[in-house]
Amino acid sequence: MPESPLPPGSTIGILGGGQLGRMLAMAAARLGLRTHIYSDEANAPAFDVAAISTVGAYEDKEALARFAGAVDVVTCEFENVPAETLEAAARVAPVFPRAKSFAVAQDRLAEKDFMRGLGIAVAPYAPVDTLDDLRGALARVKFPALLKTRRLGYDGKGQVLIRAEADAAAALEAIGHAPAVLEGMVLFEREVSVIAVRGQDGAFKVYNLIENVHQNGILAISRVPAESPAGIVAEATSIAAKIAEALGHVGVLCVELFQREGERPDLIVNEIAPRVHNSGHWTLDACVISQFENHIRAIAGWPLGDTARHNDAVMTNLIGSDVERWREFAAQPATAVHLYGKAEARPGRKMGHATRLYPKT
Ligand code: AMP
């Protein structure tokens, strides 16, 4: 662990070269820090804005050791980085967040067990490895239920809705009999997320609670502030603090939550991401210091920056062919357009986002 803040001129190593790595590199540059991106993709979007780029496999331990030897600290822009990759880098350079944050976030079962251990509410769930497990789990978790792979699911991928017992075998087939978790459906009023940042010294800050709208399992729109009662906002902050503390997390952490209706609205944790998150992109334009800069500050041992928002904001993701509307967004008042420099606009691919600012309420 660095004893003192990394001085300007130091180099941040980032595993992963997508749009999150790109925006992290741009934030680092503002602080006079250089970035070295390691990606297995030849044309990674982050390469355009980094001082140094390496194309290599995440399994190539020698290339990883060379990369880690050339930087002052290593971080990741995606949570599914293999544990061995992190270990290979950690033998040579400090790595933040630490392995525990990834181990918990990468496995839906470990994640739910971890939350339960902290007394944090999650949807009813049961582990599923076989058809017998699934039948037993369906008897306990009410219909409809969601079968989710334990690993490598994101944006609604690796998930099957089960409406009746007769769907069980086909559902298991659909996820290729991968180790899974059966989860009860949560009847929520809205989806919200909290973006938090924790420093190496345990300092902790959160951004305002965010309200998210998903389409086809992919984030479409984030609005700030969320229309949630003050009690819910306080509960979300306390959940994020508890998780970050228990993980010994360093860097940005996102907690995705379901807010339930009722006389006493409450929150259920859906999942966590041990990294900067799409629902925090509005912080680039509506906050004093963005989630990207705060992640860099945390891993570099700098004081955390002010998370206060100076405007309300609505962030719209530009997914697939939406990116063709860039001119329209660029012409809108009080709107910041961010394009990720990806050549091919495949369906479902995040190509950019636009944040419209409004006076702070
Ligand atoms: P996930 O990949 O787990 O984030 O799921 C993607 C989206 O599916 C979430 O943002 C929700 O809109 C929906 N979803 C996932 N799990 C549940 C659940 N247990 N109950 C209701 N909706 C869910």
Side-chain angles (χ1 to χ4, degrees):
M1 179 184 293
E3 304 270 301
S4 50
L6 290 180
S10 304
T11 304
I12 310 282
I14 302 177
L15 291 165
Q19 66 269 14
L20 301 179
R22 179 179 169 107
M23 290 184 272
L24 283 168
M26 287 158 82
R30 193 166 93 157
L31 302 177
L33 295 163
R34 292 153 54 84
T35 44
H36 182 159
I37 309 283
Y38 187 104
S39 169
D40 63 356
E41 247 186 277
N43 294 312
F47 286 173
D48 287 351
V49 298
I52 314 164
S53 305
T54 297
V55 181
Y58 293 116
E59 294 74 31
D60 185 343
K61 300 221 167 79
E62 280 170 27
L64 286 162
R66 275 197 302 279
F67 159 75
V71 304
D72 296 293
V73 65
V74 173
T75 193
C76 305
E77 61 110 52
F78 66 115
E79 72 258 37
N80 286 321
V81 55
E84 303 77 45
T85 305
L86 292 170
E87 280 162 25
R91 277 195 281 274
V92 184
V95 178
F96 296 117
R98 300 188 185 90
K100 185 170 182 186
S101 294
F102 293 96
V104 169
Q106 284 176 357
D107 180 341
R108 287 189 193 273
L109 182 60
E111 190 175 47
K112 287 192 162 49
D113 288 346
F114 174 81
M115 297 302 157
R116 198 164 59 176
L118 291 177
I120 295 171
V122 290
Y125 70 98
V128 170
D129 291 319
T130 64
L131 189 54
D132 274 353
D133 291 345
L134 180 53
R135 292 213 171 101
L138 284 167
R140 277 174 283 143
V141 173
K142 287 188 201 145
F143 292 105
L146 277 166
L147 185 65
K148 299 184 179 181
T149 56
R150 281 174 59 173
R151 292 182 168 274
L152 300 174
Y154 66 97
D155 286 350
K157 294 193 178 78
Q159 296 191 14
V160 190
L161 183 67
I162 304 185
R163 293 182 190 280
E165 166 115 38
D167 301 342
L172 213 53
E173 194 68 44
I175 60 159
H177 296 266
V181 176
L182 185 74
E183 210 179 285
M185 286 290 272
V186 176
L187 294 177
F188 57 82
E189 184 179 17
R190 53 175 57 98
E191 289 190 76
V192 294
S193 58
V194 48
I195 306 272
V197 58
R198 187 170 179 276
Q200 293 174 29
D201 58 358
F204 178 82
K205 285 178 188 261
V206 287
Y207 290 93
N208 287 132
L209 191 66
I210 307 151
E211 185 161 339
N212 300 310
V213 179
H214 291 85
Q215 278 162 12
N216 306 319
I218 304 178
L219 182 67
I221 290 169
S222 292
R223 269 191 208 97
V224 187
E227 268 185 55
S228 299
I232 285 289
V233 174
E235 192 188 336
T237 302
S238 122
I239 289 172
K242 228 189 238 184
I243 294 171
E245 189 66 37
L247 291 173
H249 189 77
V250 173
V252 164
L253 173 82
C254 175
V255 185
E256 294 185 67
L257 304 132
F258 300 126
Q259 183 189 322
R260 289 197 297 189
E261 305 237 20
E263 268 174 38
R264 277 192 71 243
D266 66 358
L267 292 170
I268 305 272
V269 169
N270 176 26
E271 60 181 357
I272 61 170
R275 54 168 170 81
V276 288
H277 191 262
N278 194 168
S279 67
H281 288 2
W282 60 276
T283 62
L284 281 167
D285 302 300
C287 291
V288 179
I289 299 299
S290 73
Q291 62 164 349
F292 300 100
E293 183 172 324
N294 257 330
H295 184 76
I296 298 291
R297 285 178 177 232
I299 64 161
W302 285 42
L304 300 183
D306 194 341
T307 52
R309 91 176 191 283
H310 48 69
N311 280 93
D312 290 2
V314 176
M315 190 268 336
T316 304
N317 260 344
L318 304 177
I319 296 169
S321 60
D322 293 348
V323 71
E324 288 160 21
R325 296 172 58 201
W326 63 268
R327 272 191 208 83
E328 179 192 322
F329 282 101
Q332 282 176 3
T335 299
V337 177
H338 301 254
L339 301 176
Y340 307 148
K342 297 182 185 178
E344 204 192 332
R346 292 192 291 271
R349 193 172 195 208
K350 290 175 179 168
M351 302 298 294
H353 70 270
T355 301
R356 180 144 182 183
L357 299 177
Y358 298 89
K360 186 172 179 227
T361 50

